[in-house]
Amino acid sequence: MYHVSKAYAAGSFALRDISLELRRGEFVFLTGPSGAGKTSLLKLLFSAEEPTEGQIVVLGRNIVRLGPAAIPRLRRRIGVVFQDFKLLPRRTVEENVALSLEVVGTPPRVTRAKVFAMLKQLGLQHRRYHHPLSLSGGEQQRVAIARALVNEPEILLADEPTGNLDPDLTLEIMGLIASAATRGTTVVVATHELDLVSRYGKRIVRLDAGCVLDDTPAPGDGA
Amino acid sequence: MYHVSKAYAAGSFALRDISLELRRGEFVFLTGPSGAGKTSLLKLLFSAEEPTEGQIVVLGRNIVRLGPAAIPRLRRRIGVVFQDFKLLPRRTVEENVALSLEVVGTPPRVTRAKVFAMLKQLGLQHRRYHHPLSLSGGEQQRVAIARALVNEPEILLADEPTGNLDPDLTLEIMGLIASAATRGTTVVVATHELDLVSRYGKRIVRLDAGCVLDDTPAPGDGA
Amino acid sequence: MRRALVQLGYFVRTALRGLRSSPVTSAVSVVTIGVSLVLVGAFALLLWNMEGLLDRFGDSLYVTAYLEEGRPVEDRRALVEIVATVEGVERVRVVSKREALERFQAGVGRGSALLEGLDENPLPASLEITLLPERRSAEGLRVVVESLEGLPGISDLASGQDWVEGYLRAVALVRAVGLGLSVILALATLLIVTNTIRLAVLARRDEIEILTLVGASRTFVAIPFVMEGLVQGAAGGVAAVLLLLGLFRLVLPGFEFGMEFLLGGVTPRFFSVGEIAALVGGGAGLGLFGSAAALTGGWKA
Amino acid sequence: MRRALVQLGYFVRTALRGLRSSPVTSAVSVVTIGVSLVLVGAFALLLWNMEGLLDRFGDSLYVTAYLEEGRPVEDRRALVEIVATVEGVERVRVVSKREALERFQAGVGRGSALLEGLDENPLPASLEITLLPERRSAEGLRVVVESLEGLPGISDLASGQDWVEGYLRAVALVRAVGLGLSVILALATLLIVTNTIRLAVLARRDEIEILTLVGASRTFVAIPFVMEGLVQGAAGGVAAVLLLLGLFRLVLPGFEFGMEFLLGGVTPRFFSVGEIAALVGGGAGLGLFGSAAALTGGWKA
Ligand SMILES: Nc1ncnc2c1ncn2[C@@H]1O[C@H](COP(=O)(O)OP(=O)(O)OP(=O)(O)O)[C@@H](O)[C@H]1O
Ligand SMILES: Nc1ncnc2c1ncn2[C@@H]1O[C@H](COP(=O)(O)OP(=O)(O)OP(=O)(O)O)[C@@H](O)[C@H]1O
Ligand SMILES: [Mg+2]
Ligand SMILES: [Mg+2]
């Protein structure tokens, strides 16, 4: 899905000469110690940062060459769960989740139905009219996940999506993400939770200090 | 350390009729599923929220009756690691950590030395002059921990202090927190990571839906 | 088409939500725009009423044509009619010998028995010829004087050239100072308003950043903000008009005594409906322009 | 003591850091304060120079004492000396018969041969008695006229009572309008500046919240903010003075023509050093007051 990427941020390298290729519908775990560059890698995929060097091809487009008008269009096809959630504090949970539908111009009725269904799946329907600041950390994280998934994106980038969730919820949400992958969405999950990673038997990319340490394909996979 | 506490937030109960007592120098884990009320309980201890009902005694003072001038004085004796870090984005890492020393009027030279030592312990000395926004999630979390610990507080409240850290760092930092406890600091750690909790053999308070589910004293403890 | 409607609905809803959810910021913008417009409006009122005052002074700008003695009354009537048709003349008034004497005595001082010893009134009758407002310039005066010069029955012409020039200079000065202050005031207002809205946008830059991360285009982010600016500006305009009206009503009676002397019978005027609309529209425009400028300028900072 | 010094150091450092780390917000505050002070300053300059103008008009406010004919020159000299000592009199000027005639002829019109037929000049000599500025009121005038009334050698007194009253009303009007506009302007400025600083504080409310969570007292949080406000205000004041000076220098020559007529020989004046200090101090005060108000008012919202 993307080809070569090489990047450094502000003087010191955050990623050094990384090359990765993801197939459509693939489920990949990105692991590595704190500061390894996981978030930086996701940011590149999402064109929130530009690579200092190298090319990145996402959904058939070289995002390094993308004009400022094309970036929003690309982003609408990608769902992202940010490590720090990035929810709008002055909008309700429902409105926050609805955002990713509104940017593509979904009619309000459809939006409301989809948002409600998604919140229910995540056990948040009773928090619908709350504001993010009055939610617990785990609830905020689930809102962020709901916003990323509600638009049925072609790519899902999730940065520590279960860091604030208890083990039961973690299982549930990973199930939700995995089911998105089976529907054809390419999924990249950055996490430190090694248990989690080992339990699912998916492709694992380990990063350290900006380099790919190893790239273990999914057990049942010939590549 | 505090006596009775009972609280609800904005109509719906976040904590129901909780009673707990902590001894000076005790190390307590607070666990429970997402939305159980862990953060709310810590906020009460820190008088960031007022209880709707009940009394809370911290460091010998009933904080429900505390005047607005006394709250800052109390807070200076408590170190807090917030779930969302609460770092000042426009100050460097060093300045952020120095804050908790500056509010008690420590001379700049002493401050600088203490901050440097603390950052070194957390493996952040090379990020000293960075701004929080250019740090990875785990690095930000460590800055928050540094700020809470640098002032050698009498009480340490840590809300998911290792949620964004890889297993190695988690061990290291829990060690640091534990060593604070052995120096007489009362420590309360809220976390979902059950492994972590079980590994240390400390007192465990389990919350669910605002109630104390059970309160397991540390194995080697007669109480 | 359907999609455009959906989007419009979203924009309107978002703008209203924005206004509701940041009441302090909105209020500050409305108040700033309102206050700025009150300043501009009060100044405009003052200037316009001063223009009225200047026109009033201008009315006493006339050419005096002294009449030859001993001409029959018919001749004088014919002369008045001719003079009235001269280009640039607004009005002609006859000042008789008697009136001239009375004026002179009044001018010199009350009990002055100055000309009493004279057996005959030495002052001639004259015509007071008022110029059309648009002719009240040194040039216009010259034209009228030249047209009158040859006419039979007129012995002499006095146009008070010095006074005219002084008056015209004073008018030019007042206009120039007024214009200068208006320009400063307008620029200052514009600067203050855009700055205020820039700060308001700055206070919500997280919101903007998150929206773009979710895939919103610039337009999508900007339109609700600009609509908010428009509404705030219009609200500020309405507030300004009401405040000005209140001030006008409140302040006026206290000044009437002095005003009467300066403005004579002219009643100080308030804005017309069209001008009120312009003021409110100006507020809306300020809000619109301010938020658009803040968004393009302060997108990143 | 030592702790106070440490704290002061912290406050100064933090204030400077705040100014540096939020340049847009700081710049907006400085510009807003500066612009507001330019408005106030320009208006003050205008008013003060207009006061000068009014005084100038006031100089032509005099009492005319017509002298009896046929008195010896020595008597007249003595009279002038006596009149000069009357309380409230500033200056006495003698207008001879000849001068009176010339003035009359100039007043009526250039070629006017009006009084030429007379064998003798019918106009009397007179004294022009100018009043002290503080006596230029209807009351002051009455006192002087009464003191003069009995004096030998004076045939008649003309004080142009109407003109005086009109003048005095006009002065009162200009002062009142000026004062009214000044008050509006000052209030508007205060409102705009506090609002702007309130927004600036709002943009940094996270910072304030975090500081209080770390155990900072209100004072500890507030002092650096207030210091920032002070510095921004003073900077705005300096900018305003420079801008006003520039405008004054730039605009003045263009108006000199009209100005000369109105102000006569009076040169329009700029601010004195003390007034400049007051302007800068006012800016600093505005910034200080604005940020203090924003902190107490907007602590929570
Ligand atoms: N905007 C930035 N400017 C400068 N350095 C940055 C920036 N963003 C990240 N870095 C640095 O790049 C390195 C990698 O950061 P990144 O956020 O990708 O780590 P991560 O793998 O996500 O870590 P974590 O698990 O702690 O979130 C870190 O050392 C960080 O300090
Ligand atoms: N300010 C608030 N206003 C209203 N409700 C609140 C507020 N803060 C918390 N709550 C609610 O109280 C409940 C407990 O929240 P709390 O943050 O204490 O949970 P938590 O145990 O820390 O959860 P997590 O592990 O997800 O962080 C949640 O359901 C939350 O929605
Ligand atoms: Mg990260
Ligand atoms: Mg929590």
Side-chain angles (χ1 to χ4, degrees), chain A residues 127 134-139, chain B residues 14 34-40 83 160 192:
Chain A
R127 299 273 175 241
S134 74
L135 295 182
S136 80
E139 287 164 345
Chain B
S34 174
K38 303 181 292 296
T39 302
S40 302
Q83 199 166 3
E160 309 279 357
H192 326 96

Side-chain angles (χ1 to χ4, degrees), chain D residues 58-127:
Chain D
D59 279 351
S60 58
L61 169 64
Y62 45 67
V63 177
T64 305
Y66 294 101
L67 301 180
E68 279 170 18
E69 304 266 332
R71 288 260 183 165
V73 178
E74 299 82 62
D75 277 19
R76 188 190 286 181
R77 273 206 202 112
L79 183 65
V80 168
E81 264 161 40
I82 293 166
V83 169
T85 62
V86 166
E87 215 192 320
V89 169
E90 189 181 56
R91 200 158 23 83
V92 181
R93 203 177 100 67
V94 180
V95 179
S96 65
K97 280 175 78 74
R98 211 190 135 78
E99 205 180 334
L101 184 64
E102 278 162 8
R103 277 197 196 178
F104 176 75
Q105 282 172 336
V108 170
R110 47 185 172 140
S112 164
L114 183 58
L115 299 176
E116 264 165 21
L118 303 167
D119 42 357
E120 206 195 331
N121 178 355
L123 298 173
S126 62
L127 299 181

Side-chain angles (χ1 to χ4, degrees), chain B:
Chain B
M1 189 69 69
Y2 60 99
H3 264 301
V4 203
S5 88
K6 218 180 337 188
Y8 15 65
S12 63
F13 288 80
L15 294 171
R16 294 164 208 257
D17 205 5
I18 301 262
S19 288
L20 274 179
E21 192 166 341
L22 300 183
R23 277 190 308 277
R24 210 172 272 265
E26 202 171 17
F27 193 128
V28 180
F29 279 110
L30 206 59
T31 64
S34 174
K38 303 181 292 296
T39 302
S40 302
L41 187 59
L42 295 182
K43 275 188 181 162
L44 285 177
L45 291 178
F46 189 56
S47 55
E49 299 277 354
E50 284 183 14
T52 323
E53 263 179 45
Q55 309 296 325
I56 305 172
V57 179
V58 178
L59 292 172
R61 318 184 113 250
N62 186 337
I63 59 172
V64 178
R65 301 238 185 84
L66 235 45
I71 289 179
R73 267 202 298 278
L74 185 74
R75 284 185 180 163
R76 284 175 221 158
R77 300 165 68 186
I78 306 180
V80 188
V81 182
F82 297 94
Q83 199 166 3
D84 53 357
F85 316 149
K86 294 208 187 292
L87 302 174
L88 294 177
R90 267 181 293 223
R91 304 210 188 169
T92 63
V93 165
E94 190 176 41
E95 289 166 349
N96 264 289
V97 176
L99 260 186
S100 50
L101 291 169
E102 279 165 346
V103 291
V104 298
T106 314
R109 205 139 28 85
V110 181
T111 300
R112 218 166 304 130
K114 282 195 178 180
V115 168
F116 185 78
M118 181 52 70
L119 287 175
K120 200 160 176 188
Q121 266 189 304
L122 290 161
L124 282 175
Q125 69 277 29
H126 59 299
R127 298 273 174 241
R128 203 152 76 243
Y129 303 122
H130 283 58
H131 286 261
L133 288 180
S134 73
L135 295 182
S136 80
E139 287 164 345
Q140 289 181 32
Q141 191 154 45
R142 281 179 277 162
V143 176
I145 295 169
R147 187 179 63 189
L149 284 174
V150 73
N151 197 25
E152 292 162 18
E154 294 166 60
I155 300 181
L156 176 68
L157 307 176
D159 201 352
E160 309 279 357
T162 58
N164 285 281
L165 298 177
D166 52 280
D168 292 353
L169 262 175
T170 300
L171 275 184
E172 225 172 279
I173 285 183
M174 286 310 296
L176 209 66
I177 292 176
S179 82
T182 60
R183 283 198 305 271
T185 300
T186 312
V187 177
V188 184
V189 176
T191 183
H192 326 96
E193 294 183 62
L194 298 179
D195 308 359
L196 195 73
V197 169
S198 54
R199 199 184 299 139
Y200 281 89
K202 298 288 184 183
R203 178 175 167 191
I204 300 167
V205 175
R206 284 213 295 149
L207 287 181
D208 196 0
C211 303
V212 178
L213 217 63
D214 51 36
D215 186 347
T216 324
D221 214 49

Side-chain angles (χ1 to χ4, degrees), chain C residues 58 99 133 172 243:
Chain C
E99 205 180 334
L243 195 63

Side-chain angles (χ1 to χ4, degrees), chain D residues 278-300:
Chain D
L279 211 62
V280 174
L286 266 180
L288 189 94
F289 174 83
S291 43
L295 281 174
T296 37
W299 198 271
K300 275 271 151 189

Side-chain angles (χ1 to χ4, degrees), chain C residues 193-216:
Chain C
V193 169
T194 48
N195 265 349
T196 305
I197 297 185
R198 182 184 301 268
L199 272 191
V201 169
L202 204 65
R204 289 165 68 184
R205 66 186 175 289
D206 295 356
E207 200 172 322
I208 294 173
E209 192 216 328
I210 292 173
L211 282 171
T212 56
L213 284 178
V214 175

